[in-house]
Amino acid sequence: MKHLPAILALLSGWLLIGPPLVTRAAAGDQASAADAAKPEQSVDKPGSLADAQKLFQHGSYAEAEAAFRPQANSSSAAASGLARCQSATGHSSAAGETLLAAIKQFPKSAAVVAELADLEFAHGQHPRAQELTDAALKLDDKNLAARWRQAELQRVAGQIEAAKQSYFWIVKYYNDHDVRDAESLCIVAQAAAQHARWNQLSDDFQMLISELYPEAAKIDADHWQSHLAAGLLLLEKYNESGAAKEFHAAQAINPHAAEIQTALAAMQIQKYDLPEAKISLERALRINPKCVEAYQLRADLQFINCELTLAVQDLETALKINPVDEGTLGRLAAALGELGDFPTDVANADLAAVAFTQTRTGKIFAAVNARNPHAGAFYAALAESLDNLRKYPASVRFYREAIQRQPELTSARSELGMVEMRLGQEALARKTLDEAFRRDPFHVRVNNTIKVLDVLDHYAVLETEHFVIKFDRTKDEVLAKAMGQYLEHDVFPEISRTLAYTPQEKTLFEVFNSSGNTDGHGWFSARMVGLPSIGTVGACAGKMVALTSPDSMQQKFNWARVVRHEFVHVVNLQQTHFNIPHWYTEGLAVANEGAAPPASWDALLIERQSKHKLFDLSDINLAFSRPKSADDWQMAYCQAHLYVKFMEQQYGIDANAKMLREFAKSADTTLAIKNAFSVSVADFERDYRTFVDQHVAGLMPVEKQADDVSVAEFKKQLAADPQNPDLLAKQALNALESQEWAAARESADAALEKNSQQPLAAYVLARLLMRAGDVKQAVKVLNDSLDRAAPNARHLALLAGLKLKAEDYSAAAELYELGKKLEPGNIQWTQSLARVYLKMGDDAKLMVPLAALAEHDFDDAVTRKKLAQLALNAKDFAAAKRWATEVSHIEAKDLDAYLLIAKAAAGQKDSAAGIAAYELAILIDPKSTEHRLAFAKLLIDAKRRDDARQQLNAILKIDAKHPEATQLLESLKP
């Protein structure tokens, strides 16, 4: 995630309402003689200014305000402290009145005037802030707070060179003077950070982190602002662990600072811990309802979740607080543009033309450009918001605009490089990131991504008609060639036809294997986000797909399913101009994987539905990006798929085509649903829940056993009906499971006396008989009580198992088939059937449960290979080819898989498929004369005589006297 514009806003803005005032004089304030003559409370006296300041620093704002107020008429510092208490809790109007009164009371206090300038600046009143800053500097031209405000006013007015000089003035002042108070050191550090960013002085950052901020914290143990500023600087470099340490140190001092909560939220968004970020922002706004950065970051969350209407609402609120904040305006321009306020393709728009339109977006552009011709922060915020929406081409457009207008913005250059990587523009990204790293070598993501590019420089490239595949030739050549064949022949034509869209450019696939001390998944993760934090093995950014090589993983996976899934994302993102929300493209990808979803989803869905813990459109996207558990992640995929199925059932077979057309117009889910189906989101969600309820009802097993009844409820039922055989059977089962053998026998006998066919009681009795060694009688009890029309699962499984053990395979198979009908979602019945048919040697029957087991597990190569062999033996060449191909989709280097494909293809007289299989087999085992000879014969039959000669010559290099190769080569002479 990229939240540098927000982070930079925090870096430049926290001073406005936070730093302590008791040492303002050390920052250059020289109070007037009249002010100095007024009696000030002793800092050692209880209830003194120092006590009030301590309360403020620890977030006890009401108590601090009460302590400052009586002193405000006699101390400029107390008046400023009172104003800060008011600002910290969102009472900015009261703070302004307090400071205006203080200026009248202490007309020569530069500190108070500078304080009011800060407040005016925070609310976008730049002309007024400039007047006050000028006045403060006239009173004391060495006041560091006024100097900092002057620099920031110059920055937002586009006076870049003047701002540079102002930042440098503060740094030089520090070098020439002994600055010994925490507030002044933090002002110096912020100026030094800007000076370093704008002049590529990267070494200065380390000095700030290791010396200046720690010195401030050492001077004043309550100065949480120094920890906050240090943390924000570390976060800017994506040093998340260092940032977290500083933020938590700040929070330990002041748990009630809105600025700390927004900083935590920025870090959580960067880590994609979006639910926690939401909580932090709610805390911030409870503390200070006028915290602009909190509204900006909350809008960022809404961009990520494609809730643009909500984002606009928060940004409108932020604008009421500060109508000229470039971070707010950049986000708002992105949201309005995506909602259709400016209908032109924003990625290719002429910005001068945009500014002259009468749309609100155009007016924002015009106003920002008029105020600040170098408004890099505005364009960076606009680019970041589009990036959050995955509108990567448009994001690139505006990151470049930000850099052009303000080349000093290193953060924009870093983020531009990351977005160029997502678009597969690696040559451009290399140039951008190298320059970003030269300016800022401490940026973790930039450094990691450059290392990825270094790895890719040594990768081979396989280019097909529609794809470019990069891979490690020494480790993944077979996989790359198999992937190329699969993508071209199976995936591209089917997905393009189904989704009615063909990508205009070749899609880049990159397969990452281990290199150096980093495994393939580490490189894959760094390729996508610059950090080792992705929990999947494949990812798509719209025009490129990255994939972890299965050979780099401890557990193999079905790579073909992954690349097919990701190519659906490629098509969806491009056909909707990158508007489609995460949940929807995932649902479509699952629907187009070419296989049924895993059966494990059904059990999870039943459980979640019964506990009322299903996702909806407000939180499902977060479950993909930052699931709280593996089950959350699986449930998100399951429900996304169900949304796709629901729309087809509820609104017609063309429902998804309609939705895709709507998302091509706008990224807002609310609008898409309304325009596609003429319903509100609330009605859509209500009907979806009804659909899910009906779906779950269809998944429930036929037999609903009484096991789920609570102990208390069961005892109540038994007391009311002590002779009920079903309840007695349940009591027997409970005793059996508690190893109370005598009680279990007593209850089971009592149940069977009332109903000799009671299956659960028979099951308990059989278990007890087996325990006593009387298996024969156990089987009799189970046989006598078996109800084939409505069997009990436990009873059935035990009897079937005993038949299997006795090698009565036909009876066992019949019973397991009954179990499969009883519980179609329970894979154990199918597994048992497979064991029975395997022991029976009945290959024809064995193939049915094996096929079900293969469908149940995408990544099971062993079962698929057995199926391929059985199908080939049965001369079912189509099935043999299918299963062998699926083996190769899991084990790309499995030689047997390609030989099976070749044999099946021969049976089908499909020479093209056979040739493709042999090509891969030869890559795996290049020294096999047997495989090359079969390949050569196939090439001869296909009238590819030159290729056949090549294979025969290769055989003779291995075995110069190979008789059949020699004979065949001789026959091929002209």
Side-chain angles (χ1 to χ4, degrees):
M1 280 307 303
K2 310 125 317 287
H3 282 267
L4 294 182
I7 292 168
L8 289 173
L10 289 165
L11 276 166
S12 63
W14 68 266
L15 250 174
L16 304 179
I17 57 176
L21 287 147
V22 292
T23 54
R24 177 72 81 178
D29 177 31
Q30 296 179 358
S32 68
D35 189 12
K38 293 183 179 294
E40 299 256 5
Q41 291 183 329
S42 167
V43 295
D44 297 321
K45 182 179 177 180
S48 68
L49 189 60
D51 291 334
Q53 182 61 35
K54 193 172 189 68
L55 288 168
F56 174 78
Q57 286 296 95
H58 286 268
S60 298
Y61 300 126
E63 294 88 340
E65 185 173 344
F68 278 128
R69 190 175 295 280
Q71 306 175 67
N73 290 329
S74 59
S75 166
S76 60
S80 292
L82 174 59
R84 290 188 179 189
C85 290
Q86 294 163 330
S87 288
T89 53
H91 298 94
S92 51
S93 295
E97 292 172 4
T98 296
L99 291 171
L100 283 171
I103 289 173
K104 293 178 181 178
Q105 189 77 4
F106 312 105
K108 294 187 178 181
S109 172
V112 175
V113 178
E115 189 77 28
L116 184 56
D118 286 351
L119 188 64
E120 296 287 5
F121 183 85
H123 289 80
Q125 303 303 315
H126 293 175
R128 176 61 175 152
Q130 185 66 65
E131 292 174 8
L132 290 163
T133 299
D134 291 343
L137 290 173
K138 187 174 181 180
L139 289 168
D140 177 7
D141 67 354
K142 294 181 176 58
N143 183 285
L144 292 186
R147 285 283 183 176
W148 169 256
R149 183 54 48 223
Q150 178 68 35
E152 289 293 275
L153 283 163
Q154 290 164 338
R155 175 182 64 81
V156 297
Q159 300 166 8
I160 302 301
E161 290 305 317
K164 284 183 179 180
Q165 292 302 315
S166 294
Y167 295 134
F168 180 66
W169 187 98
I170 296 172
V171 174
K172 188 173 184 302
Y173 179 90
Y174 170 76
N175 291 334
D176 295 342
H177 296 79
D178 184 20
V179 179
R180 299 297 303 160
D181 69 279
E183 177 188 351
S184 296
L185 286 173
C186 280
I187 294 173
V188 170
Q190 288 197 118
Q194 284 288 58
H195 180 67
R197 290 186 196 96
W198 288 15
N199 293 280
Q200 296 119 64
L201 303 173
S202 56
D203 290 344
D204 286 5
F205 291 118
Q206 188 59 47
M207 184 271 291
L208 297 177
I209 295 298
S210 61
E211 297 180 27
L212 213 54
Y213 285 126
E215 183 182 354
K218 184 177 180 181
I219 289 170
D220 184 352
D222 291 333
H223 198 258
W224 54 267
Q225 293 90 343
S226 57
H227 292 292
L228 173 61
L232 289 168
L233 192 56
L234 288 164
L235 191 61
E236 178 185 329
K237 314 303 178 189
Y238 283 81
N239 184 338
E240 291 167 356
S241 61
K245 182 179 178 182
E246 294 291 349
F247 293 156
H248 292 145
Q251 193 173 26
I253 300 168
N254 184 352
H256 305 298
E259 305 94 316
I260 298 173
Q261 295 302 323
T262 54
L264 285 168
M267 179 179 69
Q268 289 152 351
I269 293 173
Q270 185 167 290
K271 294 166 64 178
Y272 234 69
D273 195 351
L274 306 184
E276 287 302 313
K278 186 177 181 181
I279 292 170
S280 295
L281 293 172
E282 287 171 353
R283 288 173 183 155
L285 289 170
R286 281 198 300 270
I287 296 165
N288 181 0
K290 292 189 177 179
C291 181
V292 169
E293 290 81 7
Y295 290 110
Q296 291 175 343
L297 290 171
R298 197 161 72 175
D300 290 343
L301 291 177
Q302 290 151 354
F303 276 112
I304 293 167
N305 209 33
C306 296
E307 297 172 330
L308 297 184
T309 304
L310 292 177
V312 169
Q313 291 173 9
D314 271 337
L315 295 169
E316 296 279 16
T317 302
L319 277 187
K320 291 176 183 177
I321 302 165
N322 184 341
V324 298
D325 184 281
E326 291 185 4
T328 302
L329 290 167
R331 289 169 170 85
L332 184 59
L336 292 174
E338 290 304 310
L339 287 170
D341 177 68
F342 186 70
T344 302
D345 178 9
V346 74
N348 300 304
D350 180 338
L351 298 186
V354 173
F356 283 105
T357 67
Q358 291 305 304
T359 63
R360 189 169 176 204
T361 310
K363 291 176 181 178
I364 290 173
F365 274 84
V368 170
N369 293 338
R371 272 192 305 271
N372 181 1
H374 301 285
F378 166 79
Y379 289 102
L382 172 55
E384 180 192 18
S385 299
L386 292 166
D387 189 0
N388 283 334
L389 288 168
R390 295 187 295 180
K391 298 295 292 285
Y392 301 131
S395 179
V396 164
R397 165 75 171 90
F398 289 112
Y399 273 129
R400 288 175 179 164
E401 185 70 24
I403 294 167
Q404 180 181 339
R405 288 176 179 262
Q406 193 176 352
E408 295 82 4
L409 283 182
T410 301
S411 60
R413 189 172 274 100
S414 301
E415 297 310 315
L416 170 61
M418 301 304 296
V419 181
E420 288 171 336
M421 287 290 287
R422 293 188 195 98
L423 288 172
Q425 299 171 345
E426 290 171 353
L428 286 173
R430 164 72 81 174
K431 182 178 179 182
T432 303
L433 292 170
D434 281 347
E435 177 60 18
F437 185 72
R438 186 184 69 78
R439 292 167 176 262
D440 182 7
F442 295 104
H443 196 293
V444 174
R445 291 178 74 211
V446 170
N447 189 18
N448 288 343
T449 306
I450 289 173
K451 290 176 181 177
V452 170
L453 288 168
D454 291 340
V455 168
L456 287 170
D457 283 345
H458 296 91
Y459 272 15
V461 177
L462 172 65
E463 191 162 353
T464 69
E465 183 180 357
H466 299 104
F467 299 93
V468 175
I469 302 172
K470 294 186 177 182
F471 61 97
D472 184 332
R473 188 180 295 280
T474 63
K475 299 175 181 176
D476 286 318
E477 186 171 11
V478 176
L479 173 62
K481 291 195 173 182
M483 187 182 295
Q485 292 177 8
Y486 177 63
L487 285 169
E488 281 293 351
H489 300 146
D490 297 286
V491 175
F492 185 88
E494 183 178 344
I495 298 303
S496 297
R497 181 179 65 254
T498 300
L499 296 175
Y501 183 83
T502 300
Q504 301 304 302
E505 302 170 1
K506 291 185 178 184
T507 302
L508 173 64
F509 276 75
E510 294 176 346
V511 183
F512 289 92
N513 212 314
S514 57
S515 178
N517 296 322
T518 303
D519 63 16
H521 188 267
W523 288 118
F524 152 74
S525 185
R527 170 62 178 89
M528 295 309 299
V529 298
L531 297 168
S533 57
I534 296 184
T536 185
V537 293
C540 167
K543 293 191 176 182
M544 63 80 54
V545 173
L547 181 74
T548 305
S549 169
D551 281 351
S552 182
M553 302 288 288
Q554 289 185 342
Q555 184 174 351
K556 294 296 178 67
F557 62 87
N558 191 316
W559 59 263
R561 175 172 167 254
V562 174
V563 300
R564 185 184 183 93
H565 182 108
E566 299 303 332
F567 186 65
V568 172
H569 293 331
V570 170
V571 173
N572 286 162
L573 285 164
Q574 292 188 36
Q575 73 182 144
T576 62
H577 311 298
F578 292 79
N579 283 339
I580 190 168
H582 201 154
W583 67 269
Y584 190 33
T585 186
E586 293 295 358
L588 288 169
V590 172
N592 286 282
E593 282 179 359
S600 59
W601 286 6
D602 292 343
L604 183 58
L605 180 65
I606 291 169
E607 177 191 350
R608 289 293 183 94
Q609 191 256 9
S610 67
K611 294 179 180 178
H612 306 289
K613 289 186 176 181
L614 296 179
F615 297 114
D616 58 28
L617 295 182
S618 70
D619 58 5
I620 190 170
N621 284 333
L622 302 185
F624 285 112
S625 56
R626 187 59 63 174
K628 292 181 179 179
S629 67
D631 282 352
D632 271 2
W633 196 46
Q634 294 295 327
M635 193 74 264
Y637 278 99
C638 173
Q639 281 195 243
H641 182 223
L642 289 175
Y643 270 116
V644 170
K645 292 177 67 177
F646 158 70
M647 286 187 282
E648 289 181 347
Q649 177 177 301
Q650 184 79 5
Y651 304 112
I653 195 66
D654 63 342
N656 286 296
K658 289 180 179 178
M659 280 287 277
L660 287 169
R661 285 196 293 271
E662 290 304 319
F663 278 121
K665 302 173 187 174
S666 167
D668 189 89
T669 301
T670 301
L671 284 177
I673 290 172
K674 179 181 177 181
N675 293 338
F677 308 132
S678 300
V679 297
S680 67
V681 170
D683 289 344
F684 179 90
E685 293 279 38
R686 181 200 62 216
D687 293 341
Y688 169 71
R689 283 304 175 95
T690 301
F691 169 83
V692 172
D693 290 344
Q694 293 170 349
H695 179 75
V696 169
L699 297 174
M700 297 296 286
V702 175
E703 173 192 328
K704 181 169 175 54
Q705 299 182 18
D707 296 2
D708 296 335
V709 177
S710 68
V711 174
E713 178 62 23
F714 172 71
K715 288 182 177 179
K716 182 179 177 181
Q717 292 175 359
L718 187 62
D721 190 4
Q723 300 302 311
N724 185 307
D726 295 336
L727 295 176
L728 287 168
K730 171 65 175 172
Q731 182 173 252
L733 179 64
N734 290 342
L736 178 72
E737 292 175 344
S738 300
Q739 298 185 1
E740 298 171 2
W741 315 121
R745 179 63 186 257
E746 182 182 351
S747 296
D749 286 344
L752 290 169
E753 185 178 340
K754 301 293 181 184
N755 177 6
S756 63
Q757 300 297 112
Q758 215 296 325
L760 195 58
Y763 165 80
V764 173
L765 180 57
R767 287 278 304 273
L768 292 169
L769 289 167
M770 291 169 63
R771 185 172 182 272
D774 194 348
V775 175
K776 184 176 180 180
Q777 185 61 25
V779 171
K780 183 178 186 309
V781 167
L782 292 168
N783 269 327
D784 291 348
S785 56
L786 177 64
D787 181 357
R788 281 180 164 78
N792 172 277
R794 281 192 179 89
H795 180 285
L796 194 61
L798 182 59
L799 179 57
L802 290 171
K803 295 289 186 182
L804 177 60
K805 189 174 182 179
E807 298 184 359
D808 187 352
Y809 298 132
S810 295
E814 179 192 0
L815 294 171
Y816 284 129
E817 289 284 5
L818 276 176
K820 193 157 74 80
K821 291 178 182 177
L822 176 68
E823 295 181 326
N826 187 344
I827 198 65
Q828 291 179 350
W829 297 109
T830 304
Q831 292 169 338
S832 297
L833 267 174
R835 283 196 296 270
V836 173
Y837 292 137
L838 185 63
K839 288 182 177 293
M840 291 175 67
D842 191 333
D843 290 349
K845 289 184 177 179
L846 175 60
M847 290 182 70
V848 177
L850 285 183
L853 291 173
E855 296 289 0
H856 180 75
D857 186 350
F858 297 118
D859 306 325
D860 181 359
V862 174
T863 299
R864 285 171 168 79
K865 185 180 285 191
K866 181 67 175 177
L867 280 163
Q869 291 166 338
L870 291 173
L872 192 64
N873 294 341
K875 298 189 183 306
D876 185 349
F877 300 119
K881 182 179 171 185
R882 175 211 167 172
W883 293 118
T885 299
E886 290 193 15
V887 173
S888 73
H889 289 170
I890 301 163
E891 298 277 2
K893 294 181 182 178
D894 190 309
L895 178 62
D896 292 339
Y898 298 110
L899 297 177
L900 285 166
I901 293 170
K903 290 175 183 177
Q908 292 180 301
K909 301 190 182 317
D910 184 352
S911 60
I915 289 169
Y918 272 122
E919 285 176 344
L920 295 170
I922 298 303
L923 271 179
I924 296 169
D925 188 6
K927 293 184 179 180
S928 170
T929 58
E930 178 186 354
H931 306 329
R932 284 188 184 272
L933 184 63
F935 188 19
K937 290 178 180 179
L938 181 58
L939 289 167
I940 292 171
D941 291 342
K943 296 183 170 44
R944 290 174 54 177
R945 298 166 67 88
D946 289 342
D947 292 331
R949 288 190 192 94
Q950 184 179 351
Q951 292 302 321
L952 293 169
N953 283 322
I955 292 172
L956 293 175
K957 285 183 180 179
I958 299 167
D959 179 1
K961 296 182 180 180
H962 195 288
E964 196 169 358
T966 302
Q967 184 180 356
L968 275 175
L969 192 60
E970 185 68 25
S971 70
L972 292 176
K973 288 183 178 179

